[in-house]
Amino acid sequence: MYELDCAGIIPGCQRVIRAESQAEVVRRAVVQAKQLGVDRISPMMLDSFRTKTHELLN
């Protein structure tokens, strides 16, 4: 399981996104950003999604 706290990355987002893969977390983050009015997902924002996604260890 992977997790991303999108606060500080996506303006106005207070959500923690969780999914089974890092790719799915990034996909959900992109959808969340668009829902919050971000028109263009920059390469820098995508990099932030990837680097701030953490694997949850059991």
Side-chain angles (χ1 to χ4, degrees), residues 7-35:
I9 302 172
I10 302 169
C13 185
Q14 300 300 318
R15 189 172 164 211
V16 175
I17 300 168
R18 293 183 186 95
E20 292 297 320
S21 69
Q22 184 179 19
E24 181 62 15
V25 169
V26 171
R27 187 194 72 76
R28 291 179 185 184
V30 168
V31 169
Q32 181 68 30
K34 289 185 178 187
Q35 288 175 345

Side-chain angles (χ1 to χ4, degrees), residues 6 10 19 27 33 37 40 42-44 49 53 55:
C6 67
I10 302 169
R27 187 194 72 76
R40 182 179 173 274
S42 69
M44 201 159 108
F49 291 159
T53 298
E55 186 172 10

